[in-house]
Amino acid sequence: MQSAVSVSDLKVTYGDHTVMDKLDLDVAPGEFLVLLGPSGCGKSTLLNAIAGLNDIADGEISISGRNVTWSEPKDRGIGMVFQSYALYPRMSVRRNLSFSLRVAGLPKAEVEARVEKAAALLHLEPLLDRRPAALSGGQRQRVAIGRALVRDVDVFLFDEPLSNLDAKLRNELRVEIKKLHQQLGNTMIYVTHDQVEALTLADRIAIMKDGVIQQMATPTEIYHHPVNLFVAGFIGAPAMNFLEGRLEVHEGAPVFKGDGHRLDLSAYPFLQPPKSGYVTLGLRPEHLTATPDATSGGQSIAATVSVVEPMGADTVVWFEGGEPGLSMRIMGETDLSPGTALSLYTDLSKASLFDADGARL
């Protein structure tokens, strides 16, 4: 199948500094791909290179099978939504939506039809005659998205479009964008540093660090099987718990030995035959429990409660030791209090294990 967007051997430099080198990326038609990572990881640089807003030093970019490496942004067949709304303040919503089409010289009837379609998809019909100053932040961002939609292209690029909104509006508009993708079926590439946006919106997530894609997979695969320590620590709130220790293998039986912990890892799905050495054991907070069950094999980690954080639907319990310490996520409320000593149990088949270099074992 031909890729909707293909990036091969991409190199981007700023002066003498190389931001990314030999980066490859293939996005399937109709896919919603999220570029996720911390500030400065290169996600917006990659998106701007695809859009033609950044010069590249080497490599090739194709959109819908057409080499657009040196094409102008307007000729690449893309619609782009930026972090800032960048609306024309003296124009109504209707004229903001239609501006690029009128400049391109499209027939009036087609312009009106495209504007009406975009307005219906984004629930903007009652707002078409208002100016941006009379709109809320969420409404302005919907107009900015609509301005991209009217271009009727196959690929849409989003550069942190929700970061200027408050939490409630972000949640509402995130749902709207998800619905929009389901209705349109267009290819969408979306940049964010918010892991909740990534996990809820994406068909696949590309997690980036220092201009390199660390892992590109479905949200489920990335959450449950991170390929390295960086990905494991970046995804999840609270973050994955990490226990430093040593893996010892005797007659094929792997055992993790840490600070007072001895855990049998026979149930762990190793990628290759285990070898003795220093390792990091990763445990998701929601996989820890204070109640033993059959999956834990009776193995436990001793811990003392330091802080209890009621979150409404669930509760996060933090334990003493380390920075910031172990955390456990439990559904509903709890009567645990600081100072309580517990034995923590977990299903080690759901754990993540990393070698001394941070690679998944």
Side-chain angles (χ1 to χ4, degrees), residues 161-359:
L162 308 184
S163 59
N164 285 341
L165 306 178
D166 63 38
K168 185 174 184 295
L169 281 176
R170 278 204 306 273
N171 291 340
E172 291 175 357
L173 204 48
R174 188 176 71 232
V175 173
E176 291 299 319
I177 291 173
K178 182 114 179 174
K179 287 180 180 177
L180 194 63
H181 180 251
Q182 291 171 349
Q183 290 175 307
L184 297 175
N186 295 66
T187 305
M188 296 185 177
I189 304 177
Y190 187 105
V191 163
T192 184
H193 61 270
D194 186 327
Q195 58 173 291
V196 174
E197 285 181 26
L199 291 168
T200 54
L201 287 173
D203 295 322
R204 285 192 301 166
I205 301 172
I207 296 189
M208 298 186 67
K209 178 189 178 188
D210 299 332
V212 177
I213 295 176
Q214 303 290 309
Q215 183 174 8
M216 188 160 75
T218 65
T220 299
E221 178 69 14
I222 282 177
Y223 189 81
H224 293 292
H225 301 99
V227 297
N228 58 36
L229 269 172
F230 173 78
V231 174
F234 192 79
I235 288 287
M240 180 181 283
N241 298 301
F242 293 125
L243 301 177
E244 304 292 335
R246 182 172 175 80
L247 181 66
E248 296 186 358
V249 183
H250 297 289
E251 297 181 354
V255 174
F256 173 79
K257 292 184 177 180
D259 184 15
H261 318 307
R262 187 184 186 281
L263 303 173
D264 182 354
L265 292 179
S266 298
Y268 178 80
F270 285 92
L271 299 178
Q272 57 271 329
K275 297 179 181 179
S276 297
Y278 290 101
V279 296
T280 301
L281 179 65
L283 305 170
R284 290 284 180 204
E286 62 271 24
H287 294 160
L288 290 175
T289 175
T291 307
D293 59 25
T295 61
S296 68
Q299 304 179 94
S300 66
I301 300 168
T304 301
V305 176
S306 62
V307 175
V308 178
E309 291 184 317
M311 310 288 283
D314 54 15
T315 303
V316 177
V317 181
W318 292 89
F319 300 93
E320 294 176 2
E323 290 293 338
L326 284 177
S327 64
M328 174 177 68
R329 179 177 233 142
I330 55 179
M331 293 300 295
E333 300 175 350
T334 180
D335 57 1
L336 292 174
S337 58
T340 305
L342 290 177
S343 292
L344 303 179
Y345 301 87
T346 188
D347 180 357
L348 289 166
S349 68
K350 297 179 179 179
S352 293
L353 196 64
F354 306 96
D355 65 19
D357 294 324

